[in-house]
Amino acid sequence: MKNNQTRFAILVSGRGSNMSRLIDVSKQDSDSHGSIQCVISDNKKAPALKTARDKGIKSKYISPGKKYRTRLTDKAQAKYIKYLKKNKVDYILLAGFMRMLKPGLIDSFPNRIINIHPSLLPAYSGLDTHSRVIDAGEKTTGCSVHFVDSGMDTGKLIAQSIVEVSNDDTPASLGKKVLEKEHKIYPYIMKLLADNKIEYENWKMIVV
Ligand code: GAR
C-alpha cells in the first residue's frame, strides 16, 4: 500500500488540539502521513468539530445514545461502524474521545484503533491524571499511545514520551508540558502507521 492511500478517521469529544496537529501534518505531507477522511464526535458542542470543518475535513456528530456516560449504546456504536466503513477507514485515531469502545466496534477494526493518553500507562489510566501524578509526588510522567481494547486505557502500548514533573508544577502546567509531547508523538505514530511499520503482534513499545 502506498503511504498516501492510508485512510484515517479521528474520534474526538472536546477541544481537539491533537486532532488539529494530525490534520495539519497529514495536509502538509499526505505521502508520509496518509489522509484523514473524517472526524466524528460524540459531543455536539465539541470545538473540534468546527476546527476540523475549518480545516476542510468532513466532521460529523454522531449521538452516543442516552444510556451511558462513558460508553456508546449498541445502536449508537452501529452508527459509528457504518459511517467508518462507509468512509473506508483503515485506522481510527482516538484523540480525546472520552468513551470506552465495546467489542462490536473494536472487532470491526481489529488492532486498527489507536488512542493517546496523558500518562505513562499502565500508571494513571482514567481521568484527572495530572493532579493524581502531582498528589502522588511522581518525578516523571508523560503520554502513551496504545492499541485500543475494551478496557480503560489498557491496550498494548505502542510508544511513550517522558516528561519531568517539577516541584512547582500544577495540573495545568503539567498538562501543558505533556500536551506538547502528545503533539509530537501522535503525528510520529501516525506516520509509522501510514507506512505500515507498526504490526500488532511483533511490536515492542518505543520511547520517543
Ligand atoms: C489529551 O490530553 C488526551 O491525551 C486526553 O484528552 C486530551 C484531549 O486533548 N485523552 C484521554 O485522557 C483519553 N483517556 P485535545 O482534545 O486537545 O487533543
Side-chain angles (χ1 to χ4, degrees):
M1 189 191 288
K2 267 181 149 185
N3 292 346
N4 63 10
Q5 289 174 351
T6 306
R7 299 164 69 91
F8 292 91
I10 304 180
L11 268 56
V12 286
S13 296
R15 176 179 55 184
S17 70
N18 276 291
M19 173 208 76
S20 229
R21 273 295 291 150
L22 295 170
I23 292 175
D24 290 349
V25 293
S26 75
K27 280 193 171 280
Q28 278 156 19
D29 186 2
S30 66
D31 272 353
S32 297
H33 290 87
S35 63
I36 295 166
Q37 298 303 310
C38 58
V39 167
I40 311 177
S41 181
D42 60 328
N43 171 13
K44 204 186 283 186
K45 296 187 177 147
L49 284 172
K50 181 174 182 314
T51 308
R53 225 168 281 136
D54 289 348
K55 288 176 183 287
I57 302 290
K58 200 162 51 176
S59 68
K60 187 176 172 73
Y61 161 70
I62 303 182
S63 166
K66 290 214 167 91
K67 204 164 162 192
Y68 315 105
R69 269 192 318 123
T70 56
R71 290 174 194 275
L72 303 167
T73 61
D74 288 341
K75 206 169 152 192
Q77 193 164 266
K79 288 186 190 161
Y80 276 71
I81 295 169
K82 192 171 170 196
Y83 191 70
L84 291 160
K85 293 273 183 199
K86 189 174 133 194
N87 280 281
K88 300 189 170 55
V89 161
D90 297 308
Y91 284 101
I92 302 166
L93 304 177
L94 309 187
F97 186 71
M98 304 313 263
R99 287 175 195 265
M100 289 193 289
L101 305 181
K102 293 195 281 193
L105 178 47
I106 293 166
D107 299 341
S108 299
F109 295 90
N111 303 328
R112 299 219 155 218
I113 309 179
I114 315 291
N115 183 41
I116 187 155
H117 180 78
S119 77
L120 296 177
L121 292 171
Y124 303 100
S125 60
L127 299 174
D128 297 325
T129 50
H130 306 308
S131 22
R132 287 188 287 136
V133 161
I134 290 170
D135 290 349
E138 301 285 3
K139 296 287 175 238
T140 53
T141 183
C143 55
S144 307
V145 177
H146 64 94
F147 291 100
V148 170
D149 62 15
S150 54
M152 188 169 60
D153 306 319
T154 48
K156 182 172 179 170
L157 288 165
I158 297 173
Q160 293 186 322
S161 262
I162 296 168
V163 169
E164 281 184 24
V165 184
S166 321
N167 289 336
D168 56 355
D169 261 326
T170 61
S173 67
L174 192 55
K176 199 167 163 222
K177 286 197 282 188
V178 172
L179 199 62
E180 276 171 25
K181 292 280 189 180
E182 293 185 44
H183 291 171
K184 294 203 173 95
I185 196 173
Y186 220 4
Y188 178 68
I189 296 304
M190 183 193 198
K191 186 173 186 312
L192 293 183
L193 292 167
D195 226 1
N196 281 320
K197 293 258 169 62
I198 300 182
E199 197 206 320
Y200 182 86
E201 293 300 338
N202 300 318
W203 188 256
K204 299 264 183 294
M205 193 200 69
I206 53 171
V207 178
V208 294

